[in-house]
Amino acid sequence: MKPVAALAALSLLAASPALAQEAAGKTEITWWGHAAFTVKTPKGFVLAIDPWLSNPSDPVKDPAKKLGKVDAVLVTHGHSDHTGDAVAIGQRTHAKLVASYELAQQLAAAGYPKEQAGMETSGNMGGTIPLSDEVSVTIVPAVHSSGYSRDGKSAPVYGGNPVGFVVHVKDGPTIYHTGDTDLFGDMKLVGERWPVDVMLACIGGHFTMDPEGAAAAAALVGAKVVIPMHYGTFPLLKGTPSELERAVTARDGKARVVVMKPGETRAF
Ligand SMILES: [Zn+2]
């Protein structure tokens, strides 16, 4: 690179925090409210997890305005607050679908392009699915249910077992999305096998663990950072981030609680 070009590149980096972050090799996590996250790796691979992007917590309702390129859509279970906009994203992008085999079949029947929802990327608990030379996903248990109703009104059909995901980014963080779940003892094994940098943990209660349960889960996993999710979307989901902070401090205080706003991005 000529000196002038190098200087221009440097000043561009200084002017653009996003570019500077990429240059530093960080992985960006964006929360879209409820259980919906996108993860962008240093090489620019984008995963959308439980992409209910039109959820009530996020003021921007148009999913297409939020996401550009998506390489993989990960869905933990069949409930509509998690399948969300998955089919529409699959139709708009070339994103492969990562889900339990049965849920992938249901979403394909609902319009997710079949060639993007095959067995190459659907799987089951215990399986690690390579998505690129930089990213793989391990499917892990969750204690919940997973019925799927295509229109959100008719009686649900079998959508496989509910799961969580461990996202491995080469030279980057290990991210554990719990899915919807209660606290369970085998979460300890997740942290033992793959030291977790960032845990995305449900805290709302009623359908999932509450802040006390999530604090116990973070301690079991040994997560360095815990980001609360699945709270406040509806009045029934009463758990709050400050309750989680108090519970983590009371327990062992080891996990750092990072509270995000819908649409906010953090780099790890
Ligand atoms: Zn849910």
Side-chain angles (χ1 to χ4, degrees):
M1 196 183 273
K2 286 180 184 168
V4 175
L7 265 180
L10 269 178
S11 59
L12 188 64
L13 276 180
S16 164
L19 277 177
Q21 226 162 48
E22 240 172 68
K26 296 274 191 175
T27 295
E28 294 174 6
I29 297 177
T30 304
W31 186 47
W32 300 104
H34 206 59
F37 289 86
T38 46
V39 175
K40 186 178 179 190
T41 71
K43 286 189 180 177
F45 193 92
V46 178
L47 306 96
I49 309 173
D50 283 355
W52 183 33
L53 300 170
S54 42
N55 71 74
S57 299
D58 192 338
V60 183
K61 295 295 173 221
D62 183 356
K65 285 202 177 126
K66 300 180 186 177
L67 305 188
K69 179 185 82 119
V70 181
D71 299 291
V73 171
L74 283 59
V75 184
T76 57
H77 63 290
H79 298 160
S80 59
D81 57 319
H82 298 261
T83 56
D85 303 290
V87 170
I89 295 168
Q91 290 171 347
R92 187 176 58 77
T93 69
H94 296 291
K96 295 282 177 64
L97 178 63
V98 180
S100 74
Y101 171 75
E102 291 84 356
L103 182 56
Q105 297 279 308
Q106 297 291 1
L107 291 174
Y112 202 105
K114 287 190 171 55
E115 63 279 12
Q116 296 162 225
M119 277 208 273
E120 187 197 348
T121 55
S122 63
N124 216 323
M125 289 173 276
T128 296
I129 295 168
L131 296 176
S132 75
D133 60 0
E134 188 191 26
V135 187
S136 62
V137 176
T138 304
I139 304 178
V140 296
V143 178
H144 195 62
S145 57
S146 182
Y148 176 67
S149 169
R150 196 185 295 192
D151 59 8
K153 294 177 195 134
S154 47
V157 296
Y158 181 58
N161 284 315
V163 302
F165 294 118
V166 179
V167 177
H168 315 273
V169 180
K170 193 178 173 191
D171 302 323
T174 297
I175 302 160
Y176 172 31
H177 188 298
T178 64
D180 279 6
T181 186
D182 188 13
L183 166 70
F184 59 99
D186 285 356
M187 283 178 167
K188 187 172 171 35
L189 300 176
V190 172
E192 278 178 9
R193 294 187 72 190
W194 308 286
V196 170
D197 297 296
V198 183
M199 180 172 173
L200 313 174
C202 48
I203 67 159
H206 199 95
F207 298 102
T208 71
M209 54 191 180
D210 61 7
E212 288 280 345
L220 268 185
V221 169
K224 295 193 184 98
V225 167
V226 57
I227 296 175
M229 64 163 176
H230 210 276
Y231 65 91
T233 326
F234 319 110
L236 283 176
L237 307 184
K238 290 188 170 63
T240 65
S242 47
E243 287 170 347
L244 175 68
E245 282 165 341
R246 280 199 294 276
V248 166
T249 304
R251 181 163 291 274
D252 64 8
K254 284 187 183 154
R256 181 163 64 91
V257 178
V258 172
V259 180
M260 296 178 73
K261 292 190 178 71
E264 186 182 347
T265 299
R266 298 285 184 113
F268 295 92

